Amino acid sequence: MFGRLASIVHQAAEVLAPSMSSRDEFIQSWKAITTQLIESKDDRQPVQATKIPKQLEKMLVLLSKEDKQYEENTGPCLEYLLQHKILDTLHTLGRGDVRPVAMFISVIC
């Protein structure tokens, strides 16, 4: 019940709040992933039961849109990804495939 209420409040906030830049959305998704990893209490929880796959997909969509928009230049999302070594972090998480369970699959898909 609480999760559903939180989802409704989150959706209402998105409608009322001014839209964020794609870079800010990208950063927010990455922070949601890292927060989930830090706060996760259950090491056996499958990654599919978390918001991580959805956030990774959102980041990928933002990078894809940016690639079309900035054809020959580096866009702000890609800059952030490179500057903060997000690929290295995802590689490390996927390679260990320890926490959350099946992180490897989410990273490579």
Side-chain angles (χ1 to χ4, degrees):
M1 178 71 174
F2 178 72
R4 188 172 182 178
L5 178 62
S7 176
I8 292 170
V9 170
H10 178 70
Q11 289 173 353
E14 285 182 356
V15 169
L16 297 174
S19 62
M20 292 189 288
S21 69
S22 59
R23 182 181 187 275
D24 290 340
E25 285 185 58
F26 189 84
I27 293 169
Q28 182 182 26
S29 291
W30 179 242
K31 287 183 179 182
I33 291 169
T34 56
T35 299
Q36 175 79 42
L37 292 170
I38 291 168
E39 294 178 356
S40 177
K41 305 261 189 272
D42 185 4
D43 289 348
R44 297 172 309 223
Q45 181 183 26
V47 72
Q48 291 80 9
T50 69
K51 294 180 181 180
I52 293 173
K54 183 178 178 183
Q55 296 299 331
L56 285 171
E57 180 69 27
K58 186 175 182 180
M59 291 172 70
L60 185 59
V61 167
L62 289 167
L63 285 168
S64 180
K65 285 181 183 177
E66 184 178 89
D67 184 47
K68 292 173 186 164
Q69 182 181 4
Y70 288 89
E71 293 176 10
E72 294 185 24
N73 296 320
T74 305
C77 295
L78 184 57
E79 288 279 342
Y80 186 87
L81 178 122
L82 296 171
Q83 288 174 351
H84 292 87
K85 300 182 180 186
I86 292 174
L87 291 177
D88 291 341
T89 303
L90 290 173
H91 174 260
T92 301
L93 291 168
R95 187 181 61 202
D97 202 20
V98 176
R99 188 180 132 222
V101 175
M103 184 67 178
F104 175 75
I105 293 169
S106 290
V107 169
I108 63 168
C109 290

